[in-house]
Amino acid sequence: MKISDQIKYYRNMLRLSQDFMAKRIGVSRSAYTKMENGSPDFSAGHLRILANLFKVSVEDFFKPLSVKYQNTAPLQHAQFRIPKDEFRIAGAESMEILLQPAGELFAWAGDKGNSEELKRRQDRAKQTYAKFNTLDEAIQYTQPLVEKHLVGEAIDIVSLAMQEFGLWISWNLFGPYSGLYLKAGTEIADDEFLPLPIVAIHSGHPSERQRFSVAHELGHHLFAQKGKIGSPTKPSTDSDEKVANLFAANLLMERSRVIKVLKGMQDFYSKTFDFPSIVLLAASHLQVSYSALSRRVVTLGLVPSDQIKPVLSAKVRELELKVSKKQRPQPFNLQVIKSCEEALKKTTFFKYDKKSGPMGPEAIRFLQDYSYVEYLHACKAKPPLDSSYVFREVVQYVEDTYPNYVAET
């Protein structure tokens, strides 16, 4: 993988814009775009700045991204049992993509300290696999579970998938796939059977698309994947893919919640913004993409007839600029980030060092998510701060508070 691809990976993981990155290294937006595309290369000075920003070492830009686990050795040279033609996109790359999430799962399941949680999640996964024949049945079953995983009106889809359905979720650069799903018990290598269903999500995609992908792959679990493995990045005419998309849309954008959020935004902003802008604000509140919500509100008949074309043809970037100019932002409270950081220090999954702070982009991402959730809770019925603004402030806080990047050890 090229250095430019590594930098793009870290930038997407932390939800940072190219504008933000360009200002950091002192170049124009267009110049930065060219550098991220590999020509010209980033200079040594640029790499030092970016290493500090991402909390990695400069040397990390020259290494493979996949994490290696000590107890995944059996997979390193094993003969994969899944035929290549079972993947929707055939090829050696599909097999290699499985190594990272499978390795993570085997490493976690092999830890005796996780035995009770493993058993609980295995039971959940077994109870819900292939449970439904129709979309309505699946939605009817899932909606009561959603209540425990709501942040404002947005679903914490990752916690829902893991806690209520037992799925193992992994993130990495999964090539041509938006996501992958493999059922529990799949023999991926000689005598190596998956103890839990695996959902693998493409970490290079925007956060809203990742959330949709988790819901989409959950749909494959509930209906049982009858077709080939892997949900391609590009649109597919496969019937299973269409059903999984409908399930994800109905789950993340359930009718009553969409109506509630849209009405709230109209009541608050009808004198300030046009209808497409209000849909954009509602999408941010539900943590879904504008394109997904715009299609959904039209399908649900929530858009005045004279607004259907403007809503569907609107350019998201132009809407974002229009909203940012008119919207009066809430004052940003840095204490929220500090409180979230203190809470995360007490967990086992947050990698933290007293001198260097969050250890790498994964830890910063945890801090971003916790901080944004806290802002959503604080906002309650009021329109929240734009998510990208909160994410940028978290990264800025980490960079200012812990100026030294994590050195190679």
Side-chain angles (χ1 to χ4, degrees), residues 262-296:
L262 195 63
K263 184 178 185 304
M265 292 298 169
Q266 285 179 298
D267 291 345
F268 200 87
Y269 281 124
S270 60
K271 295 181 180 179
T272 309
F273 296 120
D274 58 14
F275 199 83
S277 299
I278 288 173
V279 173
L280 176 71
L281 290 166
S284 176
H285 203 71
L286 290 164
Q287 294 188 51
V288 297
S289 69
Y290 174 83
S291 61
L293 185 60
S294 61
R295 292 192 297 270
R296 179 73 171 154

mmCIF file of all heavy atoms in Angstrom, residues 262-296:
data_model
loop_
_atom_site.group_PDB
_atom_site.id
_atom_site.type_symbol
_atom_site.label_atom_id
_atom_site.label_comp_id
_atom_site.label_asym_id
_atom_site.label_seq_id
_atom_site.Cartn_x
_atom_site.Cartn_y
_atom_site.Cartn_z
ATOM 1 N N LEU A 262 -37.884 15.141 11.393
ATOM 2 C CA LEU A 262 -38.146 16.087 10.308
ATOM 3 C C LEU A 262 -39.057 17.212 10.788
ATOM 4 O O LEU A 262 -38.825 18.394 10.488
ATOM 5 C CB LEU A 262 -38.771 15.353 9.120
ATOM 6 C CG LEU A 262 -38.792 16.101 7.793
ATOM 7 C CD1 LEU A 262 -37.376 16.392 7.297
ATOM 8 C CD2 LEU A 262 -39.543 15.293 6.733
ATOM 9 N N LYS A 263 -40.093 16.864 11.546
ATOM 10 C CA LYS A 263 -41.003 17.890 12.073
ATOM 11 C C LYS A 263 -40.266 18.827 13.038
ATOM 12 O O LYS A 263 -40.462 20.043 13.019
ATOM 13 C CB LYS A 263 -42.181 17.232 12.789
ATOM 14 C CG LYS A 263 -43.228 18.254 13.277
ATOM 15 C CD LYS A 263 -44.405 17.573 13.948
ATOM 16 C CE LYS A 263 -45.478 18.594 14.310
ATOM 17 N NZ LYS A 263 -44.976 19.680 15.167
ATOM 18 N N GLY A 264 -39.405 18.238 13.872
ATOM 19 C CA GLY A 264 -38.650 19.065 14.800
ATOM 20 C C GLY A 264 -37.763 20.066 14.090
ATOM 21 O O GLY A 264 -37.663 21.234 14.490
ATOM 22 N N MET A 265 -37.130 19.626 13.012
ATOM 23 C CA MET A 265 -36.259 20.511 12.241
ATOM 24 C C MET A 265 -37.064 21.586 11.516
ATOM 25 O O MET A 265 -36.637 22.741 11.426
ATOM 26 C CB MET A 265 -35.450 19.695 11.221
ATOM 27 C CG MET A 265 -34.435 18.769 11.843
ATOM 28 S SD MET A 265 -33.185 19.671 12.768
ATOM 29 C CE MET A 265 -32.383 18.327 13.637
ATOM 30 N N GLN A 266 -38.245 21.198 11.002
ATOM 31 C CA GLN A 266 -39.095 22.183 10.326
ATOM 32 C C GLN A 266 -39.586 23.252 11.308
ATOM 33 O O GLN A 266 -39.576 24.443 10.989
ATOM 34 C CB GLN A 266 -40.288 21.471 9.682
ATOM 35 C CG GLN A 266 -39.937 20.710 8.412
ATOM 36 C CD GLN A 266 -41.144 19.999 7.824
ATOM 37 O OE1 GLN A 266 -41.726 19.125 8.453
ATOM 38 N NE2 GLN A 266 -41.529 20.383 6.630
ATOM 39 N N ASP A 267 -40.012 22.811 12.492
ATOM 40 C CA ASP A 267 -40.490 23.766 13.502
ATOM 41 C C ASP A 267 -39.388 24.740 13.902
ATOM 42 O O ASP A 267 -39.637 25.925 14.150
ATOM 43 C CB ASP A 267 -40.991 23.018 14.746
ATOM 44 C CG ASP A 267 -42.262 22.235 14.482
ATOM 45 O OD1 ASP A 267 -42.906 22.498 13.442
ATOM 46 O OD2 ASP A 267 -42.596 21.349 15.293
ATOM 47 N N PHE A 268 -38.161 24.239 13.964
ATOM 48 C CA PHE A 268 -37.037 25.036 14.444
ATOM 49 C C PHE A 268 -36.429 25.909 13.353
ATOM 50 O O PHE A 268 -35.970 27.023 13.606
ATOM 51 C CB PHE A 268 -35.974 24.095 15.014
ATOM 52 C CG PHE A 268 -35.002 24.760 15.948
ATOM 53 C CD1 PHE A 268 -35.290 24.880 17.297
ATOM 54 C CD2 PHE A 268 -33.800 25.249 15.479
ATOM 55 C CE1 PHE A 268 -34.396 25.479 18.169
ATOM 56 C CE2 PHE A 268 -32.896 25.864 16.341
ATOM 57 C CZ PHE A 268 -33.190 25.978 17.692
ATOM 58 N N TYR A 269 -36.437 25.393 12.091
ATOM 59 C CA TYR A 269 -35.655 26.050 11.041
ATOM 60 C C TYR A 269 -36.450 26.472 9.805
ATOM 61 O O TYR A 269 -35.856 26.924 8.823
ATOM 62 C CB TYR A 269 -34.551 25.104 10.557
ATOM 63 C CG TYR A 269 -33.353 25.049 11.461
ATOM 64 C CD1 TYR A 269 -32.919 23.834 11.987
ATOM 65 C CD2 TYR A 269 -32.627 26.189 11.788
ATOM 66 C CE1 TYR A 269 -31.804 23.765 12.806
ATOM 67 C CE2 TYR A 269 -31.513 26.131 12.603
ATOM 68 C CZ TYR A 269 -31.104 24.922 13.111
ATOM 69 O OH TYR A 269 -30.006 24.865 13.915
ATOM 70 N N SER A 270 -37.776 26.336 9.818
ATOM 71 C CA SER A 270 -38.548 26.594 8.597
ATOM 72 C C SER A 270 -38.383 28.020 8.078
ATOM 73 O O SER A 270 -38.491 28.271 6.870
ATOM 74 C CB SER A 270 -40.036 26.310 8.850
ATOM 75 O OG SER A 270 -40.518 27.138 9.894
ATOM 76 N N LYS A 271 -38.104 28.983 8.964
ATOM 77 C CA LYS A 271 -37.927 30.370 8.527
ATOM 78 C C LYS A 271 -36.485 30.678 8.111
ATOM 79 O O LYS A 271 -36.203 31.764 7.615
ATOM 80 C CB LYS A 271 -38.357 31.320 9.646
ATOM 81 C CG LYS A 271 -39.842 31.245 9.986
ATOM 82 C CD LYS A 271 -40.204 32.227 11.085
ATOM 83 C CE LYS A 271 -41.689 32.151 11.417
ATOM 84 N NZ LYS A 271 -42.063 33.099 12.507
ATOM 85 N N THR A 272 -35.607 29.709 8.334
ATOM 86 C CA THR A 272 -34.182 29.937 8.041
ATOM 87 C C THR A 272 -33.704 29.171 6.819
ATOM 88 O O THR A 272 -32.923 29.691 6.015
ATOM 89 C CB THR A 272 -33.324 29.508 9.254
ATOM 90 O OG1 THR A 272 -33.837 30.128 10.433
ATOM 91 C CG2 THR A 272 -31.862 29.895 9.057
ATOM 92 N N PHE A 273 -34.172 27.928 6.658
ATOM 93 C CA PHE A 273 -33.651 27.062 5.602
ATOM 94 C C PHE A 273 -34.743 26.560 4.681
ATOM 95 O O PHE A 273 -35.919 26.458 5.068
ATOM 96 C CB PHE A 273 -32.944 25.845 6.212
ATOM 97 C CG PHE A 273 -31.715 26.197 7.013
ATOM 98 C CD1 PHE A 273 -31.638 25.879 8.357
ATOM 99 C CD2 PHE A 273 -30.631 26.835 6.428
ATOM 100 C CE1 PHE A 273 -30.514 26.188 9.107
ATOM 101 C CE2 PHE A 273 -29.506 27.154 7.167
ATOM 102 C CZ PHE A 273 -29.446 26.830 8.505
ATOM 103 N N ASP A 274 -34.348 26.204 3.455
ATOM 104 C CA ASP A 274 -35.279 25.569 2.529
ATOM 105 C C ASP A 274 -35.412 24.091 2.896
ATOM 106 O O ASP A 274 -34.710 23.572 3.771
ATOM 107 C CB ASP A 274 -34.818 25.743 1.077
ATOM 108 C CG ASP A 274 -33.421 25.187 0.824
ATOM 109 O OD1 ASP A 274 -32.903 24.429 1.673
ATOM 110 O OD2 ASP A 274 -32.826 25.525 -0.221
ATOM 111 N N PHE A 275 -36.316 23.393 2.195
ATOM 112 C CA PHE A 275 -36.631 22.010 2.573
ATOM 113 C C PHE A 275 -35.442 21.066 2.416
ATOM 114 O O PHE A 275 -35.204 20.236 3.301
ATOM 115 C CB PHE A 275 -37.830 21.508 1.764
ATOM 116 C CG PHE A 275 -38.500 20.317 2.383
ATOM 117 C CD1 PHE A 275 -39.441 20.482 3.389
ATOM 118 C CD2 PHE A 275 -38.166 19.034 1.989
ATOM 119 C CE1 PHE A 275 -40.044 19.377 3.980
ATOM 120 C CE2 PHE A 275 -38.756 17.928 2.569
ATOM 121 C CZ PHE A 275 -39.711 18.092 3.572
ATOM 122 N N PRO A 276 -34.672 21.128 1.315
ATOM 123 C CA PRO A 276 -33.502 20.238 1.214
ATOM 124 C C PRO A 276 -32.527 20.433 2.374
ATOM 125 O O PRO A 276 -31.951 19.455 2.880
ATOM 126 C CB PRO A 276 -32.872 20.642 -0.123
ATOM 127 C CG PRO A 276 -34.013 21.147 -0.939
ATOM 128 C CD PRO A 276 -34.884 21.874 0.049
ATOM 129 N N SER A 277 -32.337 21.683 2.823
ATOM 130 C CA SER A 277 -31.436 21.935 3.951
ATOM 131 C C SER A 277 -31.969 21.323 5.241
ATOM 132 O O SER A 277 -31.205 20.822 6.074
ATOM 133 C CB SER A 277 -31.218 23.442 4.138
ATOM 134 O OG SER A 277 -30.621 24.024 3.001
ATOM 135 N N ILE A 278 -33.282 21.347 5.393
ATOM 136 C CA ILE A 278 -33.894 20.741 6.575
ATOM 137 C C ILE A 278 -33.707 19.225 6.550
ATOM 138 O O ILE A 278 -33.456 18.594 7.582
ATOM 139 C CB ILE A 278 -35.386 21.116 6.642
ATOM 140 C CG1 ILE A 278 -35.520 22.599 7.025
ATOM 141 C CG2 ILE A 278 -36.137 20.239 7.638
ATOM 142 C CD1 ILE A 278 -36.927 23.143 6.960
ATOM 143 N N VAL A 279 -33.804 18.632 5.365
ATOM 144 C CA VAL A 279 -33.542 17.192 5.236
ATOM 145 C C VAL A 279 -32.092 16.886 5.607
ATOM 146 O O VAL A 279 -31.800 15.883 6.270
ATOM 147 C CB VAL A 279 -33.853 16.700 3.804
ATOM 148 C CG1 VAL A 279 -33.422 15.238 3.621
ATOM 149 C CG2 VAL A 279 -35.341 16.849 3.494
ATOM 150 N N LEU A 280 -31.171 17.761 5.208
ATOM 151 C CA LEU A 280 -29.761 17.581 5.557
ATOM 152 C C LEU A 280 -29.573 17.607 7.077
ATOM 153 O O LEU A 280 -28.850 16.771 7.638
ATOM 154 C CB LEU A 280 -28.921 18.679 4.915
ATOM 155 C CG LEU A 280 -27.424 18.668 5.263
ATOM 156 C CD1 LEU A 280 -26.733 17.494 4.603
ATOM 157 C CD2 LEU A 280 -26.770 19.981 4.831
ATOM 158 N N LEU A 281 -30.212 18.559 7.763
ATOM 159 C CA LEU A 281 -30.112 18.645 9.215
ATOM 160 C C LEU A 281 -30.716 17.406 9.882
ATOM 161 O O LEU A 281 -30.184 16.897 10.874
ATOM 162 C CB LEU A 281 -30.821 19.904 9.707
ATOM 163 C CG LEU A 281 -30.144 21.226 9.351
ATOM 164 C CD1 LEU A 281 -31.098 22.389 9.591
ATOM 165 C CD2 LEU A 281 -28.873 21.415 10.166
ATOM 166 N N ALA A 282 -31.812 16.912 9.323
ATOM 167 C CA ALA A 282 -32.435 15.699 9.865
ATOM 168 C C ALA A 282 -31.529 14.492 9.680
ATOM 169 O O ALA A 282 -31.426 13.632 10.556
ATOM 170 C CB ALA A 282 -33.791 15.461 9.183
ATOM 171 N N ALA A 283 -30.841 14.437 8.537
ATOM 172 C CA ALA A 283 -29.912 13.330 8.276
ATOM 173 C C ALA A 283 -28.787 13.318 9.294
ATOM 174 O O ALA A 283 -28.375 12.261 9.789
ATOM 175 C CB ALA A 283 -29.357 13.438 6.856
ATOM 176 N N SER A 284 -28.289 14.517 9.630
ATOM 177 C CA SER A 284 -27.235 14.619 10.631
ATOM 178 C C SER A 284 -27.734 14.139 11.991
ATOM 179 O O SER A 284 -27.018 13.443 12.719
ATOM 180 C CB SER A 284 -26.749 16.073 10.738
ATOM 181 O OG SER A 284 -25.786 16.219 11.761
ATOM 182 N N HIS A 285 -28.979 14.467 12.322
ATOM 183 C CA HIS A 285 -29.552 14.073 13.604
ATOM 184 C C HIS A 285 -29.739 12.558 13.689
ATOM 185 O O HIS A 285 -29.557 11.958 14.755
ATOM 186 C CB HIS A 285 -30.897 14.768 13.780
ATOM 187 C CG HIS A 285 -31.320 14.908 15.200
ATOM 188 N ND1 HIS A 285 -30.714 15.773 16.072
ATOM 189 C CD2 HIS A 285 -32.296 14.289 15.917
ATOM 190 C CE1 HIS A 285 -31.292 15.687 17.269
ATOM 191 N NE2 HIS A 285 -32.249 14.791 17.189
ATOM 192 N N LEU A 286 -30.083 11.930 12.558
ATOM 193 C CA LEU A 286 -30.284 10.482 12.517
ATOM 194 C C LEU A 286 -28.980 9.729 12.236
ATOM 195 O O LEU A 286 -28.958 8.500 12.267
ATOM 196 C CB LEU A 286 -31.314 10.126 11.445
ATOM 197 C CG LEU A 286 -32.754 10.548 11.747
ATOM 198 C CD1 LEU A 286 -33.600 10.495 10.486
ATOM 199 C CD2 LEU A 286 -33.355 9.671 12.838
ATOM 200 N N GLN A 287 -27.909 10.480 11.910
ATOM 201 C CA GLN A 287 -26.604 9.924 11.561
ATOM 202 C C GLN A 287 -26.689 8.982 10.359
ATOM 203 O O GLN A 287 -26.186 7.864 10.363
ATOM 204 C CB GLN A 287 -25.982 9.202 12.760
ATOM 205 C CG GLN A 287 -25.634 10.156 13.900
ATOM 206 C CD GLN A 287 -24.859 9.488 15.009
ATOM 207 O OE1 GLN A 287 -23.856 8.835 14.757
ATOM 208 N NE2 GLN A 287 -25.328 9.638 16.224
ATOM 209 N N VAL A 288 -27.382 9.449 9.328
ATOM 210 C CA VAL A 288 -27.437 8.754 8.044
ATOM 211 C C VAL A 288 -27.025 9.749 6.966
ATOM 212 O O VAL A 288 -26.957 10.952 7.218
ATOM 213 C CB VAL A 288 -28.858 8.201 7.752
ATOM 214 C CG1 VAL A 288 -29.250 7.169 8.783
ATOM 215 C CG2 VAL A 288 -29.887 9.333 7.712
ATOM 216 N N SER A 289 -26.739 9.264 5.789
ATOM 217 C CA SER A 289 -26.324 10.168 4.714
ATOM 218 C C SER A 289 -27.521 10.930 4.164
ATOM 219 O O SER A 289 -28.675 10.469 4.263
ATOM 220 C CB SER A 289 -25.664 9.369 3.586
ATOM 221 O OG SER A 289 -26.616 8.567 2.913
ATOM 222 N N TYR A 290 -27.241 12.083 3.554
ATOM 223 C CA TYR A 290 -28.312 12.878 2.950
ATOM 224 C C TYR A 290 -28.982 12.082 1.834
ATOM 225 O O TYR A 290 -30.218 12.082 1.717
ATOM 226 C CB TYR A 290 -27.770 14.187 2.384
ATOM 227 C CG TYR A 290 -28.818 14.974 1.626
ATOM 228 C CD1 TYR A 290 -29.715 15.797 2.297
ATOM 229 C CD2 TYR A 290 -28.945 14.859 0.247
ATOM 230 C CE1 TYR A 290 -30.703 16.492 1.619
ATOM 231 C CE2 TYR A 290 -29.930 15.545 -0.453
ATOM 232 C CZ TYR A 290 -30.813 16.368 0.240
ATOM 233 O OH TYR A 290 -31.798 17.043 -0.455
ATOM 234 N N SER A 291 -28.184 11.407 1.002
ATOM 235 C CA SER A 291 -28.762 10.675 -0.135
ATOM 236 C C SER A 291 -29.714 9.581 0.345
ATOM 237 O O SER A 291 -30.773 9.366 -0.247
ATOM 238 C CB SER A 291 -27.650 10.062 -0.993
ATOM 239 O OG SER A 291 -26.871 9.149 -0.249
ATOM 240 N N ALA A 292 -29.354 8.896 1.447
ATOM 241 C CA ALA A 292 -30.224 7.838 1.964
ATOM 242 C C ALA A 292 -31.519 8.423 2.517
ATOM 243 O O ALA A 292 -32.615 7.918 2.228
ATOM 244 C CB ALA A 292 -29.500 7.044 3.049
ATOM 245 N N LEU A 293 -31.414 9.493 3.302
ATOM 246 C CA LEU A 293 -32.628 10.057 3.903
ATOM 247 C C LEU A 293 -33.501 10.747 2.864
ATOM 248 O O LEU A 293 -34.731 10.672 2.950
ATOM 249 C CB LEU A 293 -32.260 11.046 5.011
ATOM 250 C CG LEU A 293 -33.464 11.605 5.787
ATOM 251 C CD1 LEU A 293 -34.236 10.474 6.468
ATOM 252 C CD2 LEU A 293 -33.044 12.650 6.804
ATOM 253 N N SER A 294 -32.899 11.398 1.878
ATOM 254 C CA SER A 294 -33.712 12.077 0.860
ATOM 255 C C SER A 294 -34.583 11.069 0.105
ATOM 256 O O SER A 294 -35.772 11.327 -0.141
ATOM 257 C CB SER A 294 -32.813 12.847 -0.115
ATOM 258 O OG SER A 294 -31.933 11.978 -0.805
ATOM 259 N N ARG A 295 -33.996 9.925 -0.236
ATOM 260 C CA ARG A 295 -34.790 8.886 -0.914
ATOM 261 C C ARG A 295 -35.868 8.333 0.028
ATOM 262 O O ARG A 295 -36.992 8.046 -0.388
ATOM 263 C CB ARG A 295 -33.887 7.755 -1.392
ATOM 264 C CG ARG A 295 -32.947 8.149 -2.521
ATOM 265 C CD ARG A 295 -32.299 6.937 -3.155
ATOM 266 N NE ARG A 295 -31.458 6.205 -2.209
ATOM 267 C CZ ARG A 295 -30.180 6.439 -2.026
ATOM 268 N NH1 ARG A 295 -29.584 7.414 -2.697
ATOM 269 N NH2 ARG A 295 -29.479 5.714 -1.176
ATOM 270 N N ARG A 296 -35.505 8.200 1.279
ATOM 271 C CA ARG A 296 -36.440 7.635 2.258
ATOM 272 C C ARG A 296 -37.644 8.548 2.477
ATOM 273 O O ARG A 296 -38.792 8.088 2.495
ATOM 274 C CB ARG A 296 -35.703 7.408 3.582
ATOM 275 C CG ARG A 296 -36.554 6.845 4.704
ATOM 276 C CD ARG A 296 -36.879 5.409 4.491
ATOM 277 N NE ARG A 296 -37.520 4.840 5.688
ATOM 278 C CZ ARG A 296 -38.338 3.815 5.658
ATOM 279 N NH1 ARG A 296 -38.631 3.211 4.511
ATOM 280 N NH2 ARG A 296 -38.877 3.344 6.770
#
